[in-house]
Amino acid sequence: MKFISTIIGFVLFVLFFGFALKNTQEVDLHFFLHYDLHGPLVLMLLGFFVAGAFLGVLALTPTVFRHRRETNQHKTTITTLQSTALQANAQPQPDSVNTQ
């Protein structure tokens, strides 16, 4: 399986490297306030991909922390319930004796 993943990784590297070699022409990006950025197309695409991935991870951060907090709360609830169940099972109730 490791051999197959290595081959797939190599093929993807060759494809992306070929894409980078084919897209070396200069492009201009025009931003607000007359700010211009000049550079190769492949670097612009890579930069915007990295920025998008970073913003995606940043957007998911609150959700991940909320899930971690809920998981910890559930773990403590489970631990409390298990200890309560063990205490209830450890001390059997005595039989009632009717003396009348």
Side-chain angles (χ1 to χ4, degrees):
M1 189 66 184
K2 186 172 175 132
F3 179 72
I4 293 173
S5 64
T6 304
I7 294 294
I8 291 172
F10 180 73
V11 168
L12 286 175
F13 174 77
V14 169
L15 286 174
F16 289 138
F17 188 70
F19 176 77
L21 288 177
K22 287 291 204 178
N23 293 295
T24 57
Q25 64 269 22
E26 291 284 321
V27 294
D28 298 329
L29 288 176
H30 305 285
F31 294 102
F32 297 109
L33 303 174
H34 301 291
Y35 181 71
D36 294 334
L37 187 62
H38 308 284
L41 176 63
V42 70
L43 290 182
M44 297 292 178
L45 289 173
L46 179 65
F48 280 101
F49 174 77
V50 169
F54 176 74
L55 288 175
V57 168
L58 193 63
L60 282 176
T61 301
T63 305
V64 169
F65 282 124
R66 187 181 75 238
H67 283 215
R68 281 187 184 178
R69 187 174 58 246
E70 289 175 357
T71 301
N72 287 335
Q73 288 174 350
H74 291 312
K75 284 181 181 179
T76 56
T77 303
I78 288 171
T79 305
T80 305
L81 290 173
Q82 285 177 343
S83 65
T84 304
L86 286 176
Q87 288 175 357
N89 289 338
Q91 301 172 355
Q93 296 294 328
D95 294 336
S96 62
V97 178
N98 218 351
T99 58
Q100 294 177 348

